[in-house]
Amino acid sequence: RLASAQELPRAVASELAAGRRVGVLRGDATSGWSAPSGVEDVYLQGGDAALARGLYAAMRTLDERGCDVIVAVLPRELEQGLGLAVAD
């Protein structure tokens, strides 16, 4: 599930309310956010380039941790470059 940094808290709460084990994949746009108890959180520091490099490894990690759903925060720059590739 994709969410903007602003939508992240609501998206996580919605998935938790549905009884799902939630994983979050996020980058620098959410540096001040803290995951609620029971949420698996993977934070890739270093901007969109770090997010692009670590995307699939982070998804595998969350899958191995038993997450039913992964809420991935959209990169800041969706219209161009790495942001467009990561969002795809």
Side-chain angles (χ1 to χ4, degrees):
R1 174 177 181 174
L2 296 174
S4 69
Q6 186 176 18
E7 296 167 337
L8 177 61
R10 187 177 64 234
V12 170
S14 172
E15 296 297 343
L16 288 172
R20 296 184 183 96
R21 182 160 168 79
V22 180
V24 173
L25 172 57
R26 62 192 183 95
D28 289 341
T30 60
S31 60
W33 182 78
S34 296
S37 178
V39 172
E40 297 291 336
D41 183 28
V42 175
Y43 174 62
L44 298 173
Q45 187 174 8
D48 290 346
L51 188 58
R53 280 191 305 275
L55 179 65
Y56 291 105
M59 288 172 47
R60 281 192 303 274
T61 296
L62 291 170
D63 186 50
E64 290 167 358
R65 292 180 185 173
C67 295
D68 298 316
V69 63
I70 297 171
V71 178
V73 177
L74 294 165
R76 292 180 201 161
E77 300 296 328
L78 285 178
E79 294 80 28
Q80 59 187 348
L82 288 174
L84 183 60
V86 170
D88 186 37

